[in-house]
Amino acid sequence: MSAKLEEITSIAQFGPMHHPIFGKFKAEHVTQFLANVRERERDESRERRSERRFRFAYTVIAVGIFVFLTYFLLPEHSGLYFDILKGVGIFAAGLAGGYGLKAYKSGSGDR
């Protein structure tokens, strides 16, 4: 019976199993991996910075259009101005409602 137990313990390995490729990693591989990670993070940071700049530019353009419409349309054409504001408000409400419905259906919305 003890021979059978020795045979089983020699076949079975106890402890964590390691993938054979881990034995082939060298220091230069780790260095290259870390360099690639650093480069990827730098690229992601540049992309986020670019996205923020575009978002800021779009916000400035939207505010500029709003101020332009307010300055030139409000005194004489207040009916047209409020119709434009009502249309933009309806569009924004539909956009927000669609986004909220999508978030709710995907499960990421607050419940």
Side-chain angles (χ1 to χ4, degrees), residues 40-76:
R40 187 176 335 124
E41 287 178 354
R42 187 175 59 237
D43 290 343
E44 289 173 358
S45 174
R46 287 180 184 162
E47 186 175 334
R48 281 192 306 269
R49 191 177 317 129
S50 175
E51 288 175 5
R52 281 190 295 244
R53 288 178 182 160
F54 279 116
R55 196 175 308 134
F56 178 72
Y58 292 145
T59 304
V60 167
I61 290 170
V63 168
I65 290 172
F66 177 73
V67 168
F68 174 79
L69 288 175
T70 302
Y71 184 72
F72 285 107
L73 290 180
L74 195 54
E76 295 90 21

